[in-house]
Amino acid sequence: MAGCLALAAAGASLAVKPEPPVAFSDEERAAILAHGPWPPTFTPDPSNRVSGDPAAIALGRQLFSDPRLSRDRDRACATCHNPARAFADGRDRSIGLARVDRNAIALANLRLNRWFGWTGAADSLWAQSLRPILDAKELGASAELVRERLAADPGLAAAYAGIFGSTPTADSPELVLVNTAKALAAFQETITTGRTAFDAFRDALASADRQAMANYSLAAQRGLKIFVGKGRCTVCHHGANFTNGEFDDVGVPFFAEPGRVDPGRHGGIAALRASPFNLLGRYNDDPGKATASPTRYVEQLHRNWGEFRVPSLRNVAETGPYMHNGSLATLRDVVRHYSEIDVERLHGDDGARLIRPLRLSAREAADLVSFLETLSAKVSTAN
Ligand code: HEC
Ligand code: HEC
């Protein structure tokens, strides 16, 4: 009997070899705490006078899936930003009236952005929201068409009048387009992601609650240690939203097709400057125009070629394929990319300093993926 028990115990200890606890240095701990707290508090957008207005949010919600914003009445924002797919489309590159060059960004926590789109071609959520309406490859409509369609629907026209104190018929087509985009922005600001397993761990670490910390898998803890430590991921994927909000180059090839490059941030700055809808323009509702400072001072540099916005990693497990062109299908592929990165492919000098092949072991790569998978939570919107 005693022999049997001893055998069983030996078997059990072979099967479940206890994993060593993960220890974090003071520096790693500080870096982890900087990825929170979550959720952030909402502040209305000063450049959009209807930001946070319930009537504008309701109109924006309706228009977001309304095909009348498209030339042929056959697609909407929600076609490429599908609420059932974390407000992305699951494709490598989106298809509107034609295939576009880039991957649809999953919409969430947008009040935290400084720049919008992969290249920051817009400096406000409302300016970003009117771009696809006009883009010949996306919805292919025009300001005139939007005004005509809003004016033709008594319900929409009345909602517009209630929010903006004027009517689509009385306002210029350009103003109707901007107001439509501001309502769309008011709705999109309410798309937020909830608390994640990582957030619970981060708060437990902050209060040294060992019992709560133990709810977070050891694989995720080891992956987190790589993320803030030798992976140096946190340098760019910084703060509560896992992005510094700026642009960089991590060696993703930027040919849109053979012989044609996507200029990245370099082109984004040119488009931003040329846009009549940027925050320096007449449609910014912020009286002091303090919101326009980053746009006033942004400089176009040679290093901006081939740079793309550092994406947020909140909900990243739900938002593949990855990178500006959707060229990496899974998180394992992304981790492999960073592990084996070809430094010859880096164009910018800044990226070259930070980025070098990590040469992760199979287990380290799996741990890093496990960590990235703990950044997911439910996506919700205002009712
Ligand atoms: C044909 C697919 C398609 C349609 C339709 C579409 N989008 Fe997008 N959306 C994209 C792509 C692709 C990007 C990335 C654009 C870029 O950087 O070039 C994007 C980016 C965005 C962003 C930037 C998010 C961020 O974090 O910077 C917002 C906001 C957005 N779209 C809102 C909208 C709204 C509002 C509509 C409807 C009026 C819409 N989109 C229609 C594909 C689409
Ligand atoms: C030098 C800044 C920088 C560093 C360091 C960095 N990243 Fe990134 N990351 C970026 C940029 C920029 C992109 C988008 C690149 C593109 O689309 O061309 C990106 C994209 C990603 C994506 C794809 C997200 C999406 O929605 O498409 C993931 C996942 C990611 N990084 C994880 C990591 C991990 C894990 C590390 C550490 C091993 C890391 N990053 C290190 C800047 C950085």
Side-chain angles (χ1 to χ4, degrees):
M1 182 69 194
C4 270
L5 272 181
L7 260 180
S13 74
L14 267 183
V16 285
K17 192 161 147 232
E19 306 204 29
V22 180
F24 297 102
S25 68
D26 287 348
E27 209 181 328
E28 288 164 349
R29 187 174 173 277
I32 295 166
L33 297 190
H35 287 298
W38 197 262
T41 42
F42 175 81
T43 50
D45 175 359
S47 79
N48 177 0
R49 69 194 180 289
V50 302
S51 169
D53 170 6
I57 293 170
L59 177 63
R61 168 191 290 281
Q62 182 185 349
L63 292 175
F64 192 81
S65 29
D66 194 327
R68 283 175 293 182
L69 291 186
S70 68
R71 187 189 71 197
D72 302 335
R73 300 172 188 264
D74 57 354
R75 47 180 62 82
C77 310
T79 310
C80 301
H81 302 288
N82 181 346
R85 286 181 170 270
F87 289 88
D89 60 8
R91 296 179 187 277
D92 53 354
R93 287 157 49 181
S94 291
I95 300 174
L97 284 163
R99 188 167 187 243
V100 305
D101 287 345
R102 306 206 186 118
N103 175 258
I105 299 179
L107 306 181
N109 312 316
L110 292 163
R111 274 297 289 135
L112 302 179
N113 284 15
R114 182 179 310 123
W115 307 112
F116 292 83
W118 282 107
T119 64
D123 54 6
S124 72
L125 181 53
W126 53 269
Q128 174 70 35
S129 298
L130 57 79
R131 183 198 59 83
I133 301 176
L134 304 179
D135 190 324
K137 290 183 171 177
E138 296 187 38
L139 300 178
S142 63
E144 288 73 16
L145 204 63
V146 169
R147 178 178 182 237
E148 194 184 302
R149 300 231 173 118
L150 258 63
D153 179 322
L156 287 181
Y160 182 99
I163 297 160
F164 297 106
S166 178
T167 63
T169 334
D171 287 345
S172 73
E174 192 170 273
L175 182 56
V176 175
L177 177 71
V178 168
N179 284 341
T180 300
K182 285 180 175 168
L184 284 166
F187 164 63
Q188 293 169 91
E189 284 168 356
T190 73
I191 307 172
T192 49
T193 60
R195 280 176 60 82
T196 64
F198 165 76
D199 295 314
F201 177 76
R202 181 250 171 223
D203 293 356
L205 183 71
S207 56
D209 181 344
R210 295 206 163 272
Q211 213 175 337
M213 281 166 69
N215 293 332
Y216 195 51
S217 83
L218 286 172
Q221 293 190 37
R222 289 191 302 263
L224 170 59
K225 194 175 166 73
I226 297 171
F227 191 85
V228 298
K230 75 172 185 181
R232 297 197 289 181
C233 315
T234 213
V235 175
C236 299
H237 297 282
H238 180 77
N241 202 27
F242 291 86
T243 171
N244 59 13
E246 290 297 329
F247 303 82
D248 224 306
D249 170 17
V250 295
V252 178
F254 61 112
F255 279 98
E257 55 192 55
R260 184 169 64 86
V261 297
D262 183 331
R265 180 60 174 152
H266 201 268
I269 293 175
L272 173 71
R273 289 224 175 110
S275 171
F277 306 112
N278 71 31
L279 291 176
L280 294 166
R282 58 195 287 219
Y283 296 110
N284 181 352
D285 297 329
D286 168 18
K289 299 263 192 288
T291 42
S293 293
T295 308
R296 182 170 290 121
Y297 298 114
V298 71
E299 264 185 276
Q300 196 185 35
L301 305 170
H302 184 72
R303 60 160 282 201
N304 298 133
W305 279 99
E307 285 188 340
F308 293 89
R309 199 178 82 206
V310 178
S312 165
L313 301 180
R314 287 209 172 254
N315 254 16
V316 73
E318 327 301 320
T319 63
Y322 301 104
M323 305 306 191
H324 70 274
N325 53 7
S327 56
L328 298 175
T330 66
L331 287 176
R332 288 181 53 182
D333 295 334
V334 174
V335 167
R336 190 178 306 121
H337 168 83
Y338 283 110
S339 191
E340 297 169 7
I341 202 158
D342 177 359
V343 285
E344 298 295 313
R345 279 222 190 119
L346 297 172
H347 347 277
D349 27 289
D350 187 66
R353 268 193 283 121
L354 280 168
I355 294 282
R356 46 150 201 249
L358 295 174
R359 308 263 179 251
L360 300 175
S361 70
R363 162 147 151 160
E364 288 173 319
D367 287 344
L368 191 48
V369 171
S370 294
F371 161 66
L372 293 170
E373 285 171 349
T374 67
L375 299 178
S376 289
K378 210 168 142 349
V379 183
S380 57
T381 66
N383 295 311

